[in-house]
Amino acid sequence: MRRVLLPHAISDDPAPAGGVLREYAGQSMGTSWSVRLVAAPAAACDHLQDGLQQQLDSIVAQMSHWEAESDLGRFNRAAAESWQLLPPAFFDVLSYAMGVARDSGGAYDPCAGSLVNLWGFGPYGRFDQPDFVPPSADEVTVARAQLAARPVQLERNGRRALQPGGVQLDLSAVAKGYSVDRLSWYLKTQGFAHHLVEVGGELRGAGVKPDGQPWWVMLEQVTDIAPGVAAPDELVLALHGLAVATSGDYRRYFEIHGQRYSHTIDPRSGMPIANDLASVTVVHAQCMAADAWSTALTVLGSRDGLQLAELQGLAARFVVRQADGSFTEYLSSHLRSMLDE
């Protein structure tokens, strides 16, 4: 079954007369990116490929936990009790992420990189290395205690952050969404208001296609479906002034002795999540917000996650995996209000 989601607000700004579709693509952040845009017939577009890549390269240089010489890498190595001046974009993304950490009761925490690293999902000590061993309960307890005892502090006026000692920032659950927003912003500054941006499966659409249709996208589907089990219903979204991000238990994980370990870590317990959620999708005006909140809601699980989505006014879809392998879907009231029924 296929259902349609429509935005609450529709802009009447038409695509350029005689506009043509142009496409750009590349690699960044360990994944691919792509852009489709509507350009007037005589529009100068030759600079866009390099311009888009430069935007992404700038984000990597600031926020990558894989690049040792990134601004984030330097913060993670900074001396205890030292205040670090952060570039504007880095500061804004970290500030937003810490706000989601607060509002989610710690279900998401950009300061919990040490836990991510312990479980083999960071830049070193990877789970896919032959000598990897999952952390012991004592190691997890120590990492959680250090995280609680040494909080990062932000100083907005000076655009500084306090490295309390040993904190490992990890913005992987928000930087990709921010990069989508950044590319959309860049295209608008270049005069291309009608576009669809995608980075690693996260998307944001603005305006319409040359034929006046919105950018239609299908919400990401669960992939590991048992034989004979019906897939969740397809939801198609008119991505017009909206962004969408999905977190799922099928994306990244490892198995040892039949035990499956998700790449999504619950900072409150220090353990990979083990709830009933197959995926959580969030639709939002900002992709950074959709990215961060989809992670937080995934950690919370279907019941608490849906409750928080209602409190926060989030448009969210929860796909729950039942014991028999089948799926049940729950929609927040804000997302349900977008259904074309």
Side-chain angles (χ1 to χ4, degrees), residues 65-120:
H65 65 290
W66 295 88
E67 299 291 336
E69 294 308 312
S70 69
D71 292 295
L72 183 147
R74 286 192 287 271
F75 178 90
N76 286 349
R77 297 193 304 274
E81 302 301 326
S82 64
W83 284 92
Q84 301 295 311
L85 180 66
L86 305 184
F90 182 4
F91 184 92
D92 290 345
V93 171
L94 177 58
S95 179
Y96 182 82
M98 291 181 67
V100 173
R102 178 192 64 240
D103 294 342
S104 67
Y108 164 68
D109 190 347
C111 304
S114 57
L115 290 169
V116 176
N117 294 339
L118 268 182
W119 284 102

Side-chain angles (χ1 to χ4, degrees), residues 196-323:
L196 177 69
V197 174
E198 178 267 337
V199 179
E202 322 291 30
L203 299 118
R204 177 169 173 166
V208 293
K209 295 187 286 187
D211 60 2
Q213 285 287 313
W215 306 98
W216 293 104
V217 300
M218 185 182 298
L219 300 195
E220 185 174 314
Q221 285 286 76
V222 177
T223 57
D224 57 342
I225 301 173
V229 173
D233 289 348
E234 293 179 352
L235 281 178
V236 179
L237 169 64
L239 208 56
H240 177 85
L242 293 172
V244 61
T246 297
S247 292
D249 70 351
Y250 52 89
R251 279 190 159 184
R252 277 195 298 152
Y253 60 90
F254 65 86
E255 292 185 1
I256 295 181
H257 305 309
Q259 176 70 41
R260 179 164 165 164
Y261 296 93
S262 169
H263 80 284
T264 301
I265 309 300
D266 184 345
R268 301 167 303 174
S269 67
M271 300 293 292
I273 61 169
N275 56 36
D276 57 357
L277 279 173
S279 71
V280 175
T281 298
V282 174
V283 179
H284 198 281
Q286 281 187 304
C287 199
M288 174 173 67
D291 202 4
W293 276 113
S294 66
T295 299
L297 299 180
T298 296
V299 170
L300 287 168
S302 57
R303 186 190 66 180
D304 293 344
L306 182 58
Q307 183 179 42
L308 184 59
E310 297 290 3
L311 289 172
Q312 292 288 329
L314 296 171
R317 180 202 196 196
F318 299 79
V319 177
V320 177
R321 195 187 306 273
Q322 303 297 337

Side-chain angles (χ1 to χ4, degrees), residues 49-66:
Q49 178 71 36
D50 288 343
L52 291 162
Q53 188 67 56
Q54 287 168 9
Q55 297 297 314
L56 293 167
D57 291 348
S58 172
I59 296 168
V60 169
Q62 292 186 41
M63 304 177 217
S64 174
H65 65 290
W66 295 88

